[in-house]
Amino acid sequence: MIDAASSTAHCPLCSSGAAALTLPHPSRSMLSDGRVIPRALTKMSCLACGSAFHASSAAEVDIRAIYDDDYTLASAAPKSDVARARAYGDWIRGEFNPPRSILEIGCGSGALLSELLQTWPDAHACGVDPALPKTTQSQRNITLVRGFVEDIPTVAGTFDLIVAVNVIEHTTSPSAFLRSLHDHLAPNGRIVIICPDGHSPNVELLFFDHLYSLTRDGLRICGRGAALAAEKQIPAPNNIGDFQMSVFTAQTDNSHTPPADATDAARLHSDRQSYLDGWRMLDQFLLERLRSTANLLSFGAGQTAALLRAYAPQTWARVASLVLDDPTEAWDLGPPVALYRHAVQTPGRPTLIATTPRVQQAVAKRLERDGLYPVTWNELIPR
Ligand SMILES: [Zn+2]
């Protein structure tokens, strides 16, 4: 039974009551780039619009400090970065007519803009990112700027298509963020917001730097606060995963508003809590499964492995080596990294599966075929 009245927190988006979520660890949490920070994560789930948010509003300066030179999500795995840009590029291209100008907020290395300009070569593009990789340079029709929205030079003018992929959930005020994008929007332009799908409980709840987990209702409310109307709200294609796209236009008197989304916010709160309970129990679950087994391999050295390090620390302490088909994709998580094809030369080696739960059974079959002893946990956390 959820008792919203027992909570003092109100949803910053819709001002309705919210219920607390119990996070997996009482004193530590993780940033989405894998860093573990000694701060408890406390989040709330709104009982009206269904969005989740931090229980205590983090100071903006704290959040900005996260995106300094140490924030390396894009450059940690160069091939994944390109593959991700291609998938998002295909999705965005399929939804829009060729624009004359594109602005991307949070452009990382600029991979998505390069991808879009292959199809739209006549467009000029501008990308901004507070953690623009040092090796990145502006190209012929792409200008890259290190900074935030307010650092976009005014001479850049306005843009037909403004894209922000996986940015809005990091902002202290999604509404203020959309307002700042609106300031750069050309007449009849479109703002494309892509972010994790707040309707399906997923890893973003475990990230300290995801200040919001947004539902379609939540996004529409933020849009209204920025004089924007949601023209379209769609889930991502399967190859992209638990993400969603909202397309905004400047609000006019007769702006078309999609019918209200009957978010079952109470059920969403309970689904989120079940998901988080899985992560809270994961360390114990794996220790029981492993018994005295130590000297583990970890198959995978990306975000899921980082989550295991943060939220299943006793299990992670038994990992001796990370194995990957391509070690250049490995995040720096402590243990040494080795080639998978070398690891399979020691048959029967217990191997912790550190990939997203959805693909663990398929990965386990491959490891078994290769003579390893896979340890899965998707029975506890199915997705
Ligand atoms: Zn709300």
Side-chain angles (χ1 to χ4, degrees):
M1 184 67 195
I2 299 162
D3 182 8
S6 70
S7 158
T8 51
H10 285 80
C11 175
L13 309 183
C14 74
S15 308
S16 300
L21 293 166
T22 307
L23 272 289
H25 201 280
S27 60
R28 70 197 310 214
S29 55
M30 195 185 107
L31 302 177
S32 53
D33 68 354
R35 276 181 287 163
V36 176
I37 55 172
R39 293 176 66 163
L41 187 52
T42 52
K43 290 192 177 181
M44 310 287 293
S45 191
C46 174
L47 297 173
C49 79
S51 298
F53 54 93
H54 272 235
S56 53
S57 56
E60 182 134 3
V61 62
D62 274 8
I63 299 304
R64 291 214 167 196
I66 290 171
Y67 305 107
D68 57 14
D69 290 349
D70 291 338
Y71 191 79
T72 53
L73 198 54
S75 51
K79 283 181 199 155
S80 308
D81 186 31
V82 170
R84 192 167 41 233
R86 187 153 303 153
Y88 282 120
D90 286 344
W91 188 23
I92 292 168
R93 274 192 292 254
E95 299 290 334
F96 299 95
N97 294 322
R100 279 162 305 182
S101 52
I102 312 170
L103 170 64
E104 186 187 4
I105 309 298
C107 63
S109 63
L112 176 60
L113 287 175
S114 302
E115 183 66 33
L116 291 172
L117 288 192
Q118 281 181 23
T119 312
W120 296 327
D122 297 332
H124 71 87
C126 177
V128 293
D129 197 301
L132 198 67
K134 288 200 171 68
T135 52
T136 306
Q137 288 189 334
S138 296
Q139 302 161 30
R140 191 178 56 85
N141 49 354
I142 304 181
T143 307
L144 297 174
V145 179
R146 194 181 182 96
F148 292 88
V149 185
E150 58 270 26
D151 299 312
I152 299 164
T154 44
V155 293
T158 57
F159 298 85
D160 299 322
L161 186 62
I162 299 181
V163 180
V165 178
N166 299 333
V167 174
I168 196 168
E169 68 276 14
H170 296 271
T171 64
T172 50
S173 167
S175 208
F177 174 69
L178 287 174
R179 222 171 295 133
S180 67
L181 299 189
H182 194 168
D183 291 343
H184 295 276
L185 188 65
N188 303 316
R190 300 281 183 279
I191 294 174
V192 182
I193 299 296
I194 293 176
C195 64
D197 187 345
H199 294 268
S200 99
N202 61 55
V203 290
E204 78 158 337
L205 294 169
L206 299 162
F207 299 148
F208 188 91
D209 52 329
H210 282 217
L211 306 186
Y212 289 93
S213 178
L214 293 158
T215 58
R216 291 183 287 275
D217 273 352
L219 281 158
R220 275 206 305 280
I221 290 163
C222 297
R224 275 204 294 275
L228 293 166
E231 180 182 63
K232 189 192 292 190
Q233 294 188 290
I234 50 175
N238 281 340
N239 64 324
I240 290 181
D242 286 336
F243 292 86
Q244 60 181 333
M245 178 192 286
S246 287
V247 181
F248 293 97
T249 58
Q251 201 161 29
T252 57
D253 287 345
N254 55 0
S255 281
H256 169 69
T257 307
D261 191 348
T263 303
D264 187 344
R267 197 181 64 201
L268 189 50
H269 171 268
S270 117
D271 289 350
R272 282 177 176 145
Q273 191 56 64
S274 306
Y275 176 79
L276 293 168
D277 287 345
W279 279 95
R280 190 166 44 80
M281 294 184 289
L282 181 59
D283 213 8
Q284 201 52 44
F285 174 90
L286 284 168
L287 292 173
E288 282 166 19
R289 185 159 274 200
L290 291 166
R291 297 173 188 273
S292 61
T293 308
N295 200 20
L296 291 170
L297 299 177
S298 162
F299 182 85
Q303 197 168 64
T304 306
L307 285 164
L308 287 167
R309 178 175 71 162
Y311 295 118
Q314 294 183 72
T315 303
W316 189 256
R318 298 188 187 187
V319 171
S321 172
L322 314 179
V323 294
L324 277 177
D325 291 314
D326 180 358
T328 64
E329 293 286 289
W331 293 19
D332 181 10
L333 298 172
V337 179
L339 260 177
Y340 175 76
R341 66 184 158 81
H342 290 167
V344 297
Q345 287 161 12
T346 316
R349 188 87 186 261
T351 307
L352 178 65
I353 308 287
T355 64
T356 175
R358 232 182 302 234
V359 300
Q360 284 185 12
Q361 285 310 317
V363 171
K365 280 205 181 80
R366 174 187 172 198
L367 268 57
E368 266 167 5
R369 270 199 310 272
D370 290 342
L372 297 174
Y373 179 77
V375 180
T376 58
W377 41 276
N378 64 302
E379 303 87 338
L380 179 67
I381 303 170
R383 50 179 295 140

